[in-house]
Amino acid sequence: MSMLRDIAIYRTSLAFKRPMTFAQHTLNDRDIALVKAFNIELNREVRAEIAPLPGFSPESLEQAIAEIITAVKTGQLKHQFHCASSAFAWDCLHQGITPSQVSADVPLLQGSIEQIHTQYLSLKHPTQIKLKVARLAPNIELDIIHTLVKLNPQLQIRLDANQGWDRGQGAAFVSQLPKNNIVFIEEPCAILSDSLYLAERYQLPIALDEQLQQPMWPLAAFSHQAITAFIIKPMLVGSFKRIEQLLALAKQQQKRAILSCAFESQYGLSVLATLAGKWTPNEAPGLDTKKYFCDKQNHTLNTSEMEQVWPK
């Protein structure tokens, strides 16, 4: 029997300051749902966010909400979830995960070369940053990287390609990188063997993100020494059990495990901050996305400002 009662589901949309592209999906806003319930065992109200990310999550928000409703109706504590976002939310409700302050992490810089340059200067020359690549023309992205390194020769950069290159494109790009300034490249290619080829050929460490979200894992290739980090996005990975298995695998293989977000609301980011403190206390999580949303809106998911979708 479920430990939850008085369950209600709400939804809203959070507008981006400018359109954002996620794997060929361009979004003007982010659709998000909140589940509110009373946890009988904890004797208090609990909340959880559902926020599948278009382009990366196979499920829609409607499908994730429907799966939560099915789990409520069956009344089973261990419902078999198929949607990662609803599985993660369900565990947050049962564990009673509460939000905490989102502390400073590795800043994510995006935009044109001028915008990124301005962002970097406004942050007073941080020593470590994250950049998205495989989005603009390669020469523009390389110019951005080399410009930032000129500003700070000690700069350490995490690159994230979101599987945007094939082997040839990746080779043309990484061969021109200032290797001493690169911490790792997340998912350079859609095919893992191509990513590992680039890592070996150019002596550059890589990190896994999308590969961790596939149904069948771990693959034997995950143990490759060139893979130095697992970037774990709970909203895209799923249940606490699955996340904890990844954390254990990272520890076993002596890789870094870094919790990261999927453009959740401020409330969702605060929950991830709590989990990062629990699961990866020695690693700064990747939660620097609130700045891409419009300022004056319901970041904290106040249900009085949301549409109730269940029960009607």
Side-chain angles (χ1 to χ4, degrees):
M1 182 177 293
S2 175
M3 299 185 296
L4 305 175
R5 63 174 173 81
D6 303 333
I7 297 170
I9 304 175
Y10 306 80
R11 67 178 295 170
T12 191
S13 292
L14 303 178
F16 288 117
K17 291 179 178 176
R18 59 179 176 82
M20 301 286 286
T21 300
F22 304 98
Q24 286 75 56
H25 289 253
T26 299
L27 305 180
N28 292 309
D29 47 38
R30 185 84 167 88
D31 290 333
I32 283 169
L34 182 78
V35 187
K36 184 170 69 171
F38 186 85
N39 187 306
I40 298 169
E41 185 173 277
L42 299 176
N43 195 33
R44 62 176 172 84
E45 182 183 278
V46 291
R47 297 184 173 209
E49 181 170 327
I50 311 174
L53 183 60
F56 292 97
S57 298
E59 75 269 16
S60 66
L61 181 59
E62 289 75 17
Q63 289 171 324
I65 290 172
E67 195 166 43
I68 290 287
I69 293 172
T70 299
V72 173
K73 289 180 176 179
T74 61
Q76 296 176 353
L77 177 60
K78 295 184 178 180
H79 179 80
Q80 183 63 44
F81 285 94
H82 301 287
C83 300
S85 56
S86 52
F88 175 63
W90 192 247
D91 282 348
C92 284
L93 293 171
H94 281 85
Q95 295 294 321
I97 305 301
T98 56
S100 59
Q101 184 174 358
V102 179
S103 57
D105 59 5
V106 179
L108 170 63
L109 310 184
Q110 294 195 93
S112 66
I113 186 168
E114 293 81 10
Q115 290 170 327
I116 290 176
H117 184 269
T118 300
Q119 290 170 40
Y120 184 73
L121 294 179
S122 70
L123 293 170
K124 299 181 180 179
H125 297 70
T127 57
Q128 195 165 171
I129 62 169
K130 180 175 178 178
L131 295 174
K132 295 284 188 178
V133 291
R135 294 188 172 192
L136 305 175
N139 63 306
I140 294 175
E141 292 179 337
L142 287 165
D143 282 347
I144 291 170
I145 293 167
H146 285 283
T147 297
L148 293 176
V149 169
K150 285 181 181 178
L151 285 173
N152 180 2
Q154 305 307 314
L155 180 62
Q156 294 293 290
I157 306 173
R158 300 180 184 181
L159 299 177
D160 185 1
N162 289 126
Q163 300 185 338
W165 297 314
D166 60 28
R167 181 182 291 200
Q169 293 167 329
F173 188 91
V174 302
S175 63
Q176 300 180 68
L177 287 174
K179 296 178 185 178
N180 292 336
N181 299 95
I182 306 303
V183 179
F184 51 65
I185 303 179
E186 287 181 44
E187 299 278 1
C189 304
I191 300 173
L192 182 54
S193 59
D194 287 344
S195 294
L196 294 174
Y197 166 81
L198 295 179
E200 293 174 347
R201 173 68 176 81
Y202 298 99
Q203 296 298 297
L204 279 171
I206 62 173
L208 298 186
D209 178 351
E210 287 90 342
Q211 291 285 346
L212 305 178
Q213 299 159 27
Q214 61 182 332
M216 299 301 295
W217 60 266
L219 302 178
F222 285 9
S223 62
H224 195 288
Q225 62 181 6
I227 301 171
T228 61
F230 289 168
I231 311 301
I232 303 171
K233 292 183 169 71
M235 193 65 69
L236 306 184
V237 169
S239 68
F240 281 24
K241 178 180 179 181
R242 186 175 168 99
I243 294 166
E244 287 167 350
Q245 287 172 336
L246 275 178
L247 294 169
L249 183 64
K251 184 177 181 180
Q252 175 190 336
Q253 297 183 356
Q254 297 183 315
K255 303 182 191 302
R256 299 172 66 180
I258 301 170
L259 236 61
S260 186
C261 65
F263 286 81
E264 291 89 347
S265 72
Q266 177 62 25
Y267 178 81
L269 295 177
S270 300
V271 168
L272 291 176
T274 298
L275 292 172
K278 171 186 176 181
W279 283 329
T280 57
N282 298 319
E283 286 282 1
L287 306 178
D288 186 34
T289 55
K290 182 187 174 184
K291 63 190 179 187
Y292 296 108
F293 290 95
C294 293
D295 296 326
K296 295 182 179 179
Q297 56 184 356
N298 184 19
H299 288 293
T300 56
L301 301 189
N302 181 346
T303 55
S304 67
E305 301 176 34
M306 302 175 72
E307 173 196 2
Q308 183 168 340
V309 296
W310 193 83
K312 289 286 190 181

